[in-house]
Amino acid sequence: MMSREQREYLGELYREQDQLMLEHREWLAEREAAGGSPVRKSEPEPNMSAETDWAKWEEWMEGHKNLLREEMLEACGEAMGMLAVEIKKDMRAERDAEMLKLKSEISELKGRVDVLLGLVTRSGDIVSLPKGDWRRGA
């Protein structure tokens, strides 16, 4: 389930993509109106020669990739954080269930010890069993 902020962020991205696509369509329409085709098959563009300086474009592209990389790292970090929270919840639930089981067992054993002490002692005196009794040993 997406949060409100995530939906708003995606909405901004979609609007930006729509704007870029609109600008590209307009650019293609202007080229075609000027008599050029988007792709020339027979000859290369005159301004696309080996001497064309691509440094500014490369700089922009590198910056753009860095921004995307940061966004991806942030999204991965958020996803890992949410996963860690869920794993902790599961681990706590398992631990709590095990603790409840152990507490119940301890209570039961305490009750048994109290019963045994009640049988062995009467009014604070320890009852000694006869020598030949199988419960006493040799």
Side-chain angles (χ1 to χ4, degrees), residues 49-125:
S49 66
E51 295 85 31
T52 302
D53 184 19
W54 289 94
K56 293 288 184 188
W57 186 88
E58 290 289 341
E59 184 180 320
W60 175 85
M61 180 55 85
E62 196 60 37
H64 185 67
K65 288 191 296 186
N66 287 336
L67 288 174
L68 291 176
R69 193 175 294 117
E70 287 175 14
E71 287 179 17
M72 189 173 80
L73 286 173
E74 184 178 323
C76 287
E78 288 177 16
M80 289 177 68
M82 292 182 342
L83 180 63
V85 166
E86 290 302 316
I87 289 173
K88 281 184 180 180
K89 281 182 188 177
D90 291 345
M91 290 175 67
R92 283 186 186 127
E94 289 175 16
R95 182 199 63 203
D96 291 346
E98 188 64 28
M99 290 290 285
L100 183 62
K101 178 182 167 188
L102 291 173
K103 285 180 180 179
S104 173
E105 191 174 321
I106 288 170
S107 294
E108 181 182 341
L109 291 173
K110 281 183 179 179
R112 288 182 181 186
V113 167
D114 287 344
V115 169
L116 286 174
L117 283 175
L119 290 174
V120 171
T121 61
R122 290 190 185 145
S123 302
D125 296 331

Side-chain angles (χ1 to χ4, degrees), residues 13-24:
L13 290 178
Y14 293 147
R15 284 188 291 280
E16 184 177 342
Q17 180 186 18
D18 291 344
Q19 181 63 35
L20 290 172
M21 292 180 75
L22 176 66
E23 290 173 7
H24 181 69

Side-chain angles (χ1 to χ4, degrees), residues 32-55:
E32 288 179 18
S37 66
V39 178
R40 292 187 186 193
K41 295 179 181 162
S42 60
E43 59 186 69
E45 288 281 333
N47 63 353
M48 301 299 249
S49 66
E51 295 85 31
T52 302
D53 184 19
W54 289 94

